[in-house]
Amino acid sequence: MNVMLVLTPEVFLAMFIAGLYGAIFGAIPGLTATLALSLFIPFALFLPPEVGVAAIISLVAMAIFAGDIGSVLVRIPGTPASAAYTEEINDVAKEKGPFFALGLSALGSALGSLVGTGLLVVGSLGMAMLARQFSSFEYFWLVLLGVTTGILASEPFVKGAIAFILGMLLATIGYDPALGYPRFTFGNPNLLGGINFIVALIGLFGLSEVFYQLLRAKTDEGTTSNLRLGLVRGGSLRTFFLEPLLLIIREKALFLRSSILGTFIGFLPGAGSDFAAWIVSNFARLTKAPKELVTLAGTSANNAAVAGAWIPALSLGIPGDTLTAIILGLFLTLGIHPGPELFSKNLSLVVEMYLIFFISSVVLMPIIGYIAAKVVGLVLKLPKGMLLSFIAAISLIGAYSINNNPFDLYLLTAFGVLGLFFKLGNFPLGQTVLGLVLGPLLEQNLMMSMIKTHWNLFSLFERPVAIFLAVANLLLVLSLGWWKMKQVLKVRSLQSRTRRR
Amino acid sequence: MLWDRILALVSLILGGLSLALSTTFPRGQGPGPELFPSILGMTLVMFSVILLLNPSPDRHEENSKGWLSLALVLVFFALSPTLVTHLGLAVAAALGAASVSLLLKEPLARLLVTSLIVWLLGQYIFVRWLGIPG
């Protein structure tokens, strides 16, 4: 095992460049971490695995942190993960200066990510050891857990469910896993191998954004010009590093609680960093915590959740959120199969990932955070029209480069249109991606279990861990259903009270 | 409301189509390739009907000029497989960037700079360095 591989200049350079790229996308409202990652995948395919993985980890971590930059400057969160505490961080910036607010965000994110990384190491090793005992029966229930949470936790529920199921249905195109029969190919040989996940991803997130902005016919007069008004000028290392660090040390209990809870929420399939930030900052608000503590809780939780989402992804091959779903798709394309086997056959890569998480938390996040805080104004001066033209071109190049097949460009356009319609109808795009990844896993494990036992459905309840996971599924469906029902009743009673008045 | 209805109708058709087509798939000793698509088709139909009956208000603003721009860029992307085959990847991508810039009414200088950067990226990084045929 060559752990020193991670300390090569190429890996550091890739982490730095990808981190800055992620920070730019994270900072600009409307451009998300998912979009940044989708557009980066075609490049990552051609990089050596250790360099590509390093770049991706750094990109995601930085994009989630940089979502706070827009919140600090103009009260517009750069990513959904920053939306949970936008008002608070903006108020902190007004009261104590943008440099302090960005420092609090950078250090809170870095240390939150560090806690998440510690839990990632322990959690993924433990899960991988446990998962060695798993067969298709346990995996079926585990994937089903991901599917049920993915559907039930999505907002709005019905639209999320449609997006998720459509993703699963699209994944059935091509040879089926049981008999090898071609489904929904309509005689087109290009569809026999199924829809390429990365092409779908680039269309859904990259090209659809271009289509959407063209439809709105608004470019520069929107967000970017506003952001120019809020450039960060001045500010010292003391304001950026020392003062926020002292605050975190003073509030270590809140910080640790938020980071641990954030990691746990990130670990749950279908949750993710935005969900973690909402829950944790709401907890802080309930305790009447001051604004800077709500910010600290939210920003440390959303970055801890990034590491948390990697626990099921690495140890079981099941994505915790859209970002890890994309990364799992890339891993499979590169021939890396996450799951317990990854730990026995390719442990060096796993250790490398841990180290990269550690380096990106301790070194990169504070440094790039500081640089981003200084140069963000220059970056945001990039005209949006130019940026969209680049996105269109990179989408085309990226989709073609995967298989060198012109047919993929038709698929790209089709997914771009689907993504546009979903955006117009306010459907969660991430659910389609989760469906695309989880659908084949669910079908494969169900068919494998059923073929093994000649369609004895009771075989799914015969093994102890399988029973435990089946009960977990049931409990989850019941509790999420109850919670949703409570919400509906609450809204109805509020509506009827308003009508009476 | 309009978009919810359109999307509900599209997913209803897709769900129905998946249900209908999965009946034509061969069967083994037990359920086979038709099982999963038919379950998904049925669920999709169910949720589509729910959405069709309870649509939510539209939040997005579009304008008629935007639709024209979108139609033009869609024509470009529909032609892109032919363009890549005949003109090469770098030129096709540069044309793509130029058409989006043009439709977004970017100044000519920016349009040219963007297209040039895209062409250089496509030609020297993807085609020459990474060896993508195009």
Side-chain angles (χ1 to χ4, degrees), chain A residues 236-266:
Chain A
S236 63
L237 283 169
R238 186 191 157 84
T239 332
F240 192 85
F241 288 110
L242 193 63
E243 288 175 16
L245 185 64
L246 289 173
L247 175 74
I248 294 170
I249 293 170
R250 204 172 61 230
E251 298 295 337
K252 51 188 176 295
L254 171 97
F255 161 75
L256 274 174
R257 198 170 56 233
S258 309
S259 305
I260 293 169
L261 191 58
T263 314
F264 178 71
I265 296 168

Side-chain angles (χ1 to χ4, degrees), chain A residues 21 25 30-31 35 39 202 205-211 213 384-398 412, chain B residues 77 97 100 114 118:
Chain A
Y21 163 77
F25 268 70
L31 305 185
L35 176 61
L39 293 176
I202 298 172
F205 288 102
L207 200 57
S208 72
E209 185 63 34
V210 178
F211 291 168
Q213 296 296 340
K384 211 168 181 183
M386 216 166 159
L387 211 61
L388 289 168
S389 308
F390 277 125
I391 293 174
I394 297 290
S395 300
L396 193 147
I397 294 176
L412 172 80
Chain B
F77 273 93
V100 173
T114 313
V118 167

Side-chain angles (χ1 to χ4, degrees), chain A residues 109-365:
Chain A
S109 301
L111 295 172
S113 174
L114 193 63
V115 172
T117 305
L119 294 171
L120 165 68
V121 175
V122 179
S124 59
L125 284 174
M127 285 294 281
M129 275 169 67
L130 188 72
R132 281 197 190 125
Q133 318 297 322
F134 287 6
S135 65
S136 57
F137 303 98
E138 286 83 6
Y139 269 110
F140 166 75
W141 287 114
L142 261 179
V143 180
L144 191 65
L145 202 65
V147 172
T148 43
T149 45
I151 292 177
L152 287 169
S154 55
E155 274 303 327
F157 168 62
V158 177
K159 291 182 181 183
I162 290 177
F164 200 101
I165 296 161
L166 206 57
M168 287 171 88
L169 195 60
L170 287 168
T172 61
I173 294 175
Y175 289 121
D176 89 284
L179 299 178
Y181 181 79
R183 295 181 297 199
F184 308 123
T185 57
F186 305 101
N188 189 332
N190 290 299
L191 290 171
L192 285 175
I195 287 174
N196 187 291
F197 175 75
I198 297 168
V199 174
L201 196 73
I202 298 172
L204 281 172
F205 288 102
L207 200 57
S208 72
E209 185 63 34
V210 178
F211 291 168
Y212 182 64
Q213 296 296 340
L214 274 168
L215 197 58
R216 291 176 71 200
K218 275 184 183 176
T219 53
D220 267 347
E221 70 273 25
T223 51
T224 46
S225 57
N226 289 338
L227 285 168
R228 279 183 218 156
L229 301 171
L231 300 187
V232 180
R233 292 195 184 89
S236 63
L237 283 169
R238 186 191 157 84
T239 332
F240 192 85
F241 288 110
L242 193 63
E243 288 175 16
L245 185 64
L246 289 173
L247 175 74
I248 294 170
I249 293 170
R250 204 172 61 230
E251 298 295 337
K252 51 188 176 295
L254 171 97
F255 161 75
L256 274 174
R257 198 170 56 233
S258 309
S259 305
I260 293 169
L261 191 58
T263 314
F264 178 71
I265 296 168
F267 167 81
L268 296 174
S273 46
D274 42 343
F275 197 48
W278 278 108
I279 290 186
V280 171
S281 46
N282 275 341
F283 269 139
R285 280 186 202 106
L286 280 175
T287 56
K288 310 270 180 223
K291 282 171 182 168
E292 55 191 19
L293 296 189
V294 175
T295 302
L296 174 63
T299 194
S300 48
N302 64 17
N303 276 276
V306 172
W310 279 75
I311 299 175
L314 274 185
S315 55
L316 305 168
I318 296 169
D321 61 1
T322 315
L323 291 167
T324 42
I326 297 171
I327 296 164
L328 281 186
L330 171 72
F331 277 9
L332 295 174
T333 314
L334 289 172
I336 302 168
H337 292 273
E341 272 193 15
L342 184 71
F343 287 74
S344 52
K345 287 185 182 163
N346 209 348
L347 188 64
S348 59
L349 187 67
V350 178
V351 175
E352 190 206 328
M353 286 186 217
Y354 294 155
L355 276 173
I356 293 163
F357 262 109
F358 180 76
I359 293 168
S360 79
S361 317
V362 177
V363 184
L364 280 184
M365 230 178 262

